[in-house]
Structure formats: structure tokens, C-alpha cells
Amino acid sequence: MAQVFHRSANNLARIAIAVVVLTAIGILCAAYLLNAGSTTTGVGLAIDQHVPFSHKHHVADDGIDCRYCHGSVETSKFAGIPSTETCMSCHAQIWTNAAMLEPVRESFRSGKSLQWTRVYDLPDFVYFDHSIHVSKGIGCSSCHGRVDQMPLTYKVNTLYMQWCVECHRAPERHVRPRDQIFNPAYLTPASNQDIIGPQLVAQYQVQSLTDCVTCHR
Amino acid sequence: MTPEDPRSTAVATLDPGPDKVIGPGHDFGTVTDQISGVVFRPFLKTPPQLFLGFAIGFVLINLFLISITWLFLRGIGIWGVNMPVAWGFAIINFVWWIGIGHAGTLISAILLLLKQDWRTSINRFAEAMTLFAVACAGMFPILHLGRPWLAYWLLPYPNTMWLWPQPRSPLIWDVFAVSTYATISLVFWFTGLIPDLATMRDKAGNRTAQKIYGSLALGWRGSAKHWARYQKAYLLLAGLSTPLVISVHSVVSFDFSVATLPGWHTTIFPPYFVAGAIYSGFAMVLTLAIPVRRWYHLEDLITMRHIECMSKVMLGTGLIVAYGYAMEAFMAWYSSGQYERYAFINRVWAGGYWWTYWLLILCNILIPQLLWSRRVRMSIPLVFVISLVVNVGMWLERFVIVVTSLTRDYVPSSWGMYYPTFWDWSTYAGTIGLFITLMFLFIRGLPAISIFEMREVVHQNAEAEHAHRDS
């Protein structure tokens, strides 16, 4: 009777081992890339809005302070999406016939809210509070990036828990003077971050809160 | 030696008597033929009992699939668990199945280290039982999660939450214990199979079978170098498995004994659980070995000596378990702790579950005492019935420990009962079906007795006879 396996089976057996090992490594790499890529995280993907609101125009060109529109950011957990009335406080007078702004005017006429699409959407089991971060020296651009350079808003951070925890474990690397909070061009970490960081942490009494109850109430 | 060798059937019905691990008249060829003959028997000549068992297993597996589908759709609320009894059948069955698995490793590893010759013809079988029991057990910790799809959070892997499992929880140790146990058992079993798979390859009648067994045998040629390394690896695996058996079921016992619950918080649990595991495991080996031996006429390979030795181990571990019950009762009194004392009173007569405790005593302590008698140990029907009784008793033990302790603890306002639902029972029955099916598939497709180790036994017997004749 002939041999059960042809000589080529030797190579087949060796290749099979390599294939198994490489497949395992490949799956791990794919999982990592998928997890870190913008398909999953949404980082860097500009979101289409009914009204293509440009932060770049309103902040960089017009020089409007963040709090003009996001008025509750210093006092409330929610920074606030401005109401139609806020838009109309200017656009009742300028660009009154722009087609782009028709949904705003329509909203103003009908009293129905504008439908904005959230870019930074945390799951509801996370309790995030804007006001505490602003008052403890964390500026807008640390988390939201150079909003003044975004024609359409996109995420610059994953909002993964590791991203939150990273800063909560070492807030001195990201904290900035309170008068720079709303300066979109302020760079963190600053050139002298290792000096001012610990100072500000002490001065603002920043705690390194990483217990579950801090966010998952 | 060819598969059609007449001797394979000629020796089949000889009973070797009570002291031998193998029947008379066996040589390498007959042993090989008889064991591989079980697998190479034409499909339609499979014993009808096997088909029947397989059919039952198939039905029960479907019941299991329906049960877990409904479970995933509706949540664990379909079970009878609730506050205060949040652990019910799932954990009872988990501990029961894991316990059953332990005899397999005991037989294959510990008895190997102790050089017990009677382990040889039951070890393969018992290891397969371990694997399938662990497969059944391993599902319960996942099924009983409210959100089973997040079970992978129990594993320590780098993740975007920067979160790791809590290494102080015995339930996390369970993950490691059971997954290690399953892996090592599989490797041990497969290592043991390699030389036999090579035999199967060489004896297979057709190309497909040759290729299948040949691929699994990994090109085993049985050279002296192979054997030397093989024995070393096998011994090392046995040495590794032995502490595993002890620690895995100890870890399972920590699930309870680490808690502060009266009736759970007991330091005797680790050894007592391990003894119980071996007790129930041997009972299950007997439950399986006795019918299979009969259906396939393996009386001269699984002899009365095997049955008797297993009965003795069962009796011995049963006595350790009995000591455990006695100590729990004694400690309840000796501790002077009112909760501890009440926990015991609750078990014995106060709560609604007193009958489970007394059934447990009957099944686990009283009836197995019959095994002291050699007449009982030598009686196949009696041993079979006792092994079934012990299986039931050990299930009841876990029921008493898990449920009775939970129903009544520190705060009387939190006392309650646990009533298993249809889905509790169906999931349990389903895993039994899975176990039966896997076991029968194994018996049909792989050599259920280690061929090469039986050949060693034949060799040793022949040598002993030589020495006897020469002197």
C-alpha cells in the first residue's frame, strides 16, 4: 500500500503551523487597528449637520468667545448647544437671505428646535461635568482640539476611558491657567508645563480622581 | 496483524477474575484489535444502546440550545434565581460538572505518579470524561452572567478602558483555574492519544480514516527517542496536572468559603470540595464504564479489579466527605456563633430544604457504606446503582451548600426560598445531553482505552510470568 501522506505533506505541516501563528498575530493586529482607527472611534471625521455650522468662521474670523454660545459651560455639567435665538441674535440682521441658514429661520418661525448631530457623545452611564473641568484649569482645546480651525466639527479624541484616566492620573500635564481656558490657541502641554503644572494643581486643588464613582454614578 | 484477526473476537468474553487488570490470553495484537475494533466496527454494528444514548443526547442538546437561546433573549430572570438566592442551578451544576471532571485527572495523573497499574484501561476514558465535563461546566459561569456577551471582561487584556479584572475575586480565579484546567486536560489527553492515533492510522481500512488519524497522530513513528521524550513529557504533564486537580476545585470552593455567609465561610471547604470532586468523579466513571464495558464486551480489559479499585476510591473519598459533614456540624456547635449554629439547624430541619440535607446524607454517606462489603463491590449492578446514587448525592451536596445557605442568613427580613423553573432544569438536562453525546462520539471515534499502555501491561505480565517460570 502506498504511503498515507505524500512528501509534500511535510511542507504542508510546517506551513500550517506558520499559518496558525500568523493568523493569531494577524487577528490581534486587526483588532488593535480596528479599535484605534477612526472607523471605530470617529476621530477626525467631520459630521454633517443640517446647518453646516463653522466654528472656524465664528471663532477665528469673528472672534466670538466660546461662552457666547456655550453659555452654561462654567456653571453646568452640560456646556449647552445654543438656542435658535442665539443664532438669530445676529442672523436676524446679517445673511438674512442665505439659503444655508433657512433651517435656522424656519426653526425661529416655527419654534421647533434645530436638529444638531452630537459629535462628542458619551454613553449615558458616564457622568461628565464641564464646569468642574473648566474651573480646575482644563481648557477647551485640551479635549476639543483647535475648534477655531474646524469648518465642520469633528472629534479629536477617542473619549475612550483610558484617555480620561490618563489625564485624571496625571492632571499636571494638562492643567493650564484659568485665564487661558477659552483661548483656543493655547498649547498644552505648555513649554513650561512641568513647572506650572504642579503649581496649578496645588493652587486649584486639583484632585486625581479615578474611583468609579467619579464618573459612573 | 490485520483487522480481521479472529482472535479479536475469540478473547472477548473471557472474564479474567477479580485480581487481574487484563484477561488471560492477551498479547499485543489482541489488545490492539479489541480496542481499535470498537472504533472500526462497521457503523451499523454499533451497539443499539449507543444509538439510543446518542438520540437522547441529541434531543437534550436541542433542549439546551432552546434553553440558552431563550436565556439570551430574556435574561436570567427566566431562572428561579432571585434575591436572596442569586446563585442557583447554574452554580450548582458548574461545581457538579467540574467535580465530575476531577476523577479523570486523578486517574490519569495522580494514579500514574503512584504507579497504579489499574489506571491503564480506564484513564483515556476518564480523561475524555474530564474534558466533556469541563466543557459542560465551563458554560455555566458564562450563562449565569446577566450580560454574557461581556464575559471577556473577565480576562486580563489591555483595553481602552485601562481596566483589569479584580484579582482578589475567586470568580476571577475560577476563570484562570477552569481555563487552565481545560487546556492542560486537553493537552494531556491528546498527548496520551498520539501513539494510539498512530496505531489507528496503521489499522484503518480506508484512506480517509488513515488521513484523519494520520494527521492527528502528527507522524508518530514510535522510535526509542520518541518514547523517551514522550514518557518524560507525559510524566511532567502528570506532575503538573496533579496540583491542578487540587487547586482547581479548591478555587471553586473559594467561591463560597471566601464569602462571609454562614454555611459558606468555612476553612474546610478546599480539601472537602476536592474530596467530593473525586468522589463524584469516580461515581461518574463507574456510571459510564459499566455500561460501555458491557456493550462492547470489554470485560477482560476493564476487569472486576478496576471496578473494585474504583469502588474503594469512591468509598475512601466518600468517607472524607462524611468527615466534612461531621466537621461542619461540629464546628457549628463548637463555634458558638449563633448564625453558624442557625445555618446548620436550617439545613437539618428549620428551613424548607431539610429534606435535601437528609437525602444528601442518605445518598452520600449511608448508601455508599455498602461498599465496605466485598460482595457489594464485586456486584456490577450494585456498584452501578451506588455510583448513580453518589452522582445524585453530590449534586444535592452542592444544592445544600449553595441554596440552603443563601435562603436564610444574617437578616431575617432577607429570608426567602428558591424555586427552580423549567429553564433551570432544561439547561441542566441539556448539559447532560451534551456530555452524553460527546462521550458517545468519543467512544465511537477514538480508542476509549489506551492501546499502548495496555500493551505495556501485557508486556509486564509476560515478563512477570517469565521471571516466575525461571525461578
Coordinates of all heavy atoms in Angstrom, one line a residue, chain A residues 1-6 35 160-163 165-166 169, chain B residues 159-163 201 204-205 207 210-212 214-215:
Chain A
M1 N 0.8 -1.2 0.0 CA 0.0 0.0 0.0 C 0.9 1.3 0.0 O 1.9 1.3 0.6 CB -0.9 0.0 1.2 CG -2.1 0.8 1.0 SD -3.5 0.3 2.0 CE -3.0 0.3 3.7
A2 N 0.4 2.2 -0.7 CA 1.2 3.5 -0.8 C 1.2 4.2 0.5 O 0.4 3.9 1.4 CB 0.6 4.4 -1.9
Q3 N 2.2 5.1 0.6 CA 2.3 5.9 1.8 C 1.0 6.7 2.0 O 0.4 7.1 1.1 CB 3.4 6.9 1.7 CG 4.8 6.3 1.7 CD 5.3 6.0 3.1 OE1 4.9 6.6 4.0 NE2 6.1 4.9 3.2
V4 N 0.6 6.9 3.3 CA -0.6 7.6 3.5 C -0.5 9.1 3.1 O -1.4 9.7 2.5 CB -1.0 7.6 5.0 CG1 -2.3 8.3 5.3 CG2 -1.1 6.1 5.5
F5 N 0.6 9.7 3.5 CA 0.8 11.1 3.1 C 1.9 11.2 2.1 O 3.0 10.6 2.2 CB 1.2 11.9 4.4 CG 0.1 12.0 5.4 CD1 0.1 11.1 6.5 CD2 -1.0 12.8 5.2 CE1 -0.9 11.2 7.4 CE2 -2.0 12.9 6.1 CZ -2.0 12.1 7.2
H6 N 1.7 12.1 1.1 CA 2.7 12.4 0.1 C 3.8 13.2 0.8 O 3.6 13.8 1.9 CB 2.1 13.2 -1.0 CG 3.0 13.4 -2.2 ND1 3.6 14.6 -2.4 CD2 3.4 12.5 -3.1 CE1 4.4 14.5 -3.5 NE2 4.3 13.2 -3.9
N35 N -9.7 49.0 16.5 CA -10.1 49.7 17.8 C -9.5 51.1 17.8 O -10.2 52.0 18.3 CB -9.5 48.9 18.9 CG -10.4 48.9 20.1 OD1 -11.6 49.2 19.9 ND2 -9.9 48.6 21.3
Y160 N -12.3 57.4 24.8 CA -12.1 56.1 25.5 C -11.8 56.4 26.9 O -11.2 57.4 27.3 CB -10.9 55.4 24.8 CG -11.2 54.6 23.6 CD1 -10.2 54.3 22.7 CD2 -12.5 54.3 23.2 CE1 -10.5 53.6 21.5 CE2 -12.8 53.6 22.1 CZ -11.8 53.2 21.2 OH -12.0 52.5 20.1
M161 N -12.1 55.5 27.8 CA -11.9 55.7 29.2 C -10.4 55.8 29.5 O -10.0 56.6 30.4 CB -12.5 54.5 30.0 CG -12.5 54.7 31.5 SD -13.4 53.5 32.3 CE -12.3 52.9 33.5
Q162 N -9.6 55.2 28.7 CA -8.1 55.3 29.0 C -7.7 56.7 28.8 O -6.8 57.2 29.5 CB -7.3 54.3 28.2 CG -7.3 54.7 26.7 CD -6.4 53.7 25.9 OE1 -6.1 52.6 26.4 NE2 -6.0 54.0 24.7
W163 N -8.3 57.4 27.9 CA -8.0 58.8 27.6 C -8.4 59.7 28.8 O -7.6 60.6 29.2 CB -8.7 59.3 26.3 CG -8.5 60.7 26.0 CD1 -7.4 61.3 25.5 CD2 -9.5 61.7 26.1 NE1 -7.7 62.6 25.3 CE2 -9.0 62.9 25.7 CE3 -10.9 61.7 26.5 CZ2 -9.6 64.1 25.7 CZ3 -11.6 62.9 26.5 CH2 -10.9 64.1 26.1
V165 N -8.8 58.6 31.9 CA -8.0 58.2 33.1 C -6.5 58.7 33.0 O -5.9 59.0 34.0 CB -8.0 56.6 33.2 CG1 -7.1 56.1 34.3 CG2 -9.4 56.2 33.5
E166 N -6.0 58.7 31.8 CA -4.7 59.2 31.6 C -4.5 60.6 32.2 O -3.5 60.9 32.9 CB -4.4 59.2 30.1 CG -2.9 59.5 29.8 CD -2.7 59.5 28.3 OE1 -3.7 59.6 27.5 OE2 -1.5 59.4 27.9
R169 N -5.1 60.7 36.1 CA -3.9 60.2 36.9 C -2.8 61.2 37.0 O -2.1 61.3 38.0 CB -3.4 58.9 36.3 CG -4.3 57.7 36.6 CD -3.6 56.4 36.3 NE -4.5 55.3 36.5 CZ -4.4 54.1 35.8 NH1 -3.4 53.9 35.0 NH2 -5.3 53.2 36.0
Chain B
N159 N -6.9 47.1 27.4 CA -8.1 47.6 26.8 C -8.2 49.1 26.8 O -7.4 49.7 27.5 CB -9.3 46.9 27.4 CG -9.4 47.1 28.9 OD1 -9.4 48.3 29.3 ND2 -9.4 46.1 29.6
T160 N -9.1 49.6 26.1 CA -9.2 51.1 26.0 C -9.8 51.7 27.3 O -10.0 52.9 27.3 CB -10.1 51.5 24.8 OG1 -11.4 50.9 25.0 CG2 -9.5 51.0 23.5
M161 N -10.2 50.9 28.2 CA -10.8 51.4 29.5 C -9.7 51.5 30.6 O -9.9 52.0 31.6 CB -11.9 50.5 30.0 CG -13.0 50.4 29.0 SD -14.3 49.2 29.6 CE -13.5 47.6 29.4
W162 N -8.5 50.9 30.2 CA -7.4 50.8 31.2 C -8.0 50.1 32.5 O -7.7 50.5 33.6 CB -6.9 52.2 31.6 CG -5.8 52.6 30.7 CD1 -5.4 52.0 29.6 CD2 -4.8 53.7 30.9 NE1 -4.3 52.7 29.0 CE2 -4.0 53.7 29.9 CE3 -4.7 54.6 31.9 CZ2 -2.9 54.6 29.8 CZ3 -3.7 55.6 31.8 CH2 -2.8 55.6 30.7
L163 N -8.7 49.1 32.2 CA -9.3 48.4 33.3 C -8.9 46.9 33.3 O -8.8 46.3 32.2 CB -10.9 48.5 33.1 CG -11.7 48.6 34.3 CD1 -11.3 49.8 35.2 CD2 -13.2 48.9 33.9
R201 N -4.2 4.9 12.8 CA -3.8 5.2 11.4 C -3.3 3.9 10.7 O -3.8 3.6 9.6 CB -2.6 6.2 11.4 CG -2.0 6.5 10.1 CD -0.6 7.2 10.3 NE 0.3 6.3 11.1 CZ 1.4 6.7 11.7 NH1 1.7 8.0 11.8 NH2 2.2 5.9 12.3
A204 N -6.3 1.5 10.1 CA -7.5 2.0 9.5 C -7.6 1.3 8.1 O -6.6 1.1 7.4 CB -7.5 3.5 9.3
G205 N -8.8 1.0 7.7 CA -9.0 0.3 6.4 C -9.1 1.2 5.2 O -8.8 0.7 4.1
R207 N -8.6 5.1 3.1 CA -7.7 6.3 3.0 C -8.1 7.5 3.9 O -7.3 8.1 4.6 CB -7.7 6.8 1.5 CG -6.6 6.2 0.7 CD -5.3 6.8 1.1 NE -4.3 5.8 1.4 CZ -3.1 5.8 0.9 NH1 -2.7 6.7 0.2 NH2 -2.3 4.8 1.3
Q210 N -7.3 6.8 7.4 CA -5.9 6.9 7.5 C -5.4 8.3 7.6 O -4.6 8.7 8.4 CB -5.2 6.2 6.4 CG -5.2 4.7 6.5 CD -4.6 4.0 5.3 OE1 -4.5 4.6 4.2 NE2 -4.2 2.7 5.4
K211 N -6.0 9.1 6.7 CA -5.6 10.5 6.7 C -6.0 11.3 8.0 O -5.2 12.1 8.5 CB -6.2 11.3 5.5 CG -5.7 10.7 4.2 CD -5.1 11.8 3.3 CE -4.2 11.2 2.3 NZ -3.7 12.0 1.2
I212 N -7.2 11.0 8.4 CA -7.7 11.7 9.6 C -6.8 11.3 10.8 O -6.2 12.1 11.5 CB -9.2 11.4 9.9 CG1 -10.0 12.0 8.8 CG2 -9.6 11.9 11.3 CD1 -11.5 11.6 8.8
G214 N -4.0 9.8 10.8 CA -2.6 10.1 10.5 C -2.3 11.6 10.8 O -1.2 11.9 11.3
S215 N -3.2 12.5 10.4 CA -3.0 13.9 10.7 C -2.9 14.1 12.2 O -2.1 14.9 12.7 CB -4.1 14.8 10.1 OG -4.3 14.5 8.8

